[in-house]
């Protein structure tokens, strides 16, 4: 099952003002052993982004999750137990997994420059994502009460990149290998040792 995050402002993948950004960010996440495509709408100030996750890009999309993104400055003020609930975005950015779909009217070179600039910001952010509604198993409403923590991928050995991303790339007309190539110069920040706990054998959410 594919879960997609969709912009509330359909048709405007990246709107910017002096204080807020509204990126539409297709990527891939892991939830209870499943791979799920994610398309994200986010809004917020410089240190905190608030993101809504939907199951489809259609107008009748269901809100099935939320993600918060914070800067290292905020992350480092959290206690150790809380820090283990957050994931990094370095691999998603550097691998080309995370993209901004290009509006048809924007030239490719112009969009790539804008996308890379956005990725320079996202690469250093930490995210905490909760899955609220398991529509993939047919739930008509959110059930079970307790939201489920999701984590992001941190290296290529954790998934089959071709199998999981090729359909996404074809649909949006992008080449993740090309994305990775043009992001080679995006500075790779150090990731705090407490982040990405799922991949370190630290089950911070008792799943």
């Amino acid at each position: 099952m594919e879960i997609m995050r969709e912009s509330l402002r359909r048709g405007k993948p990246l709107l910017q003002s002096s204080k807020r950004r509204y990126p539409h960010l297709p990527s891939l996440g892991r939830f209870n052993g499943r791979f799920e495509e994610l398309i994200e709408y986010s809004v917020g100030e410089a240190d905190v982004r608030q993101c809504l996750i939907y199951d489809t890009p259609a107008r009748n999309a269901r809100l099935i999750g939320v993600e918060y993104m914070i800067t290292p400055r905020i992350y480092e003020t959290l206690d150790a137990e809380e820090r283990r609930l957050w994931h990094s975005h370095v691999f998603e950015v550097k691998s080309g997994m995370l993209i901004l779909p290009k509006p048809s009217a924007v030239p490719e070179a112009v969009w790539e420059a804008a996308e890379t600039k956005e990725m320079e910001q996202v690469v250093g952010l930490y995210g905490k994502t909760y899955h609220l509604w398991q529509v993939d198993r047919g739930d008509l409403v959110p059930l079970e009460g307790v939201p489920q923590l999701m984590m992001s991928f941190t290296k290529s050995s954790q998934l089959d990149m071709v199998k999981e991303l090729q359909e996404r790339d074809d649909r949006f007309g992008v080449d993740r290998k090309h994305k990775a190539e043009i992001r080679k110069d995006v500075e790779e920040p150090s990731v705090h040792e407490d982040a990405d706990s799922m991949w370190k054998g630290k089950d911070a959410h008792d799943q």
Side-chain angles (χ1 to χ4, degrees), residues 75 80 83-84 126 190-197 200 202:
Y75 181 81
R83 288 196 300 263
R84 294 188 184 102
Y126 292 92
S190 59
V191 176
H192 195 285
E193 63 181 3
D194 290 336
D196 304 314
S197 64
K200 301 173 183 176
K202 300 175 182 178

Side-chain angles (χ1 to χ4, degrees), residues 47-66:
D47 285 338
V48 180
R49 297 189 185 194
Q50 303 171 78
C51 312
L52 303 178
I53 307 171
Y54 293 86
D55 70 324
T56 171
R59 292 185 178 277
N60 63 346
R62 291 167 291 189
L63 177 64
I64 54 84
V66 296

Side-chain angles (χ1 to χ4, degrees), residues 72-194:
R73 184 182 71 82
I74 300 295
Y75 181 81
E76 290 169 7
T77 67
L78 307 176
D79 61 45
E81 182 177 0
E82 174 63 26
R83 288 196 300 263
R84 294 188 184 102
L85 302 177
W86 297 74
H87 59 263
S88 65
H89 292 95
V90 175
F91 176 72
E92 286 185 285
V93 170
K94 299 288 283 185
S95 69
M97 180 181 290
L98 197 62
I99 65 170
L100 294 174
K102 184 183 77 68
S104 59
V106 180
E108 185 70 31
V110 172
W111 189 252
E112 282 193 347
E115 179 186 63
T116 301
K117 189 70 174 178
E118 180 70 21
M119 294 303 152
E120 290 173 353
Q121 302 298 315
V122 175
V123 72
L125 300 180
Y126 292 92
K128 181 164 71 170
T129 303
Y130 281 102
H131 195 289
L132 309 174
W133 189 349
Q134 296 189 44
V135 296
D136 61 313
R137 68 182 186 189
D139 292 356
L140 297 179
V141 296
L143 300 176
E144 298 185 352
V146 180
Q148 300 295 306
L149 185 69
M150 293 182 71
M151 284 289 179
S152 293
F153 298 101
T154 60
K155 55 185 178 181
S156 59
S157 61
Q158 294 164 351
L159 75 162
D160 183 331
M161 295 282 282
V162 175
K163 176 182 177 182
E164 302 298 340
L165 288 174
Q166 192 59 55
E167 192 276 335
R168 188 283 309 264
D169 286 359
D170 292 343
R171 179 162 18 101
F172 287 107
V174 301
D175 181 346
R176 60 178 175 74
K177 292 182 179 179
H178 173 68
K179 298 293 186 183
E181 179 64 26
I182 64 176
R183 295 174 190 173
K184 288 174 63 175
D185 293 331
V186 172
E187 184 175 355
E188 184 171 333
S190 59
V191 176
H192 195 285
E193 63 181 3
D194 290 336

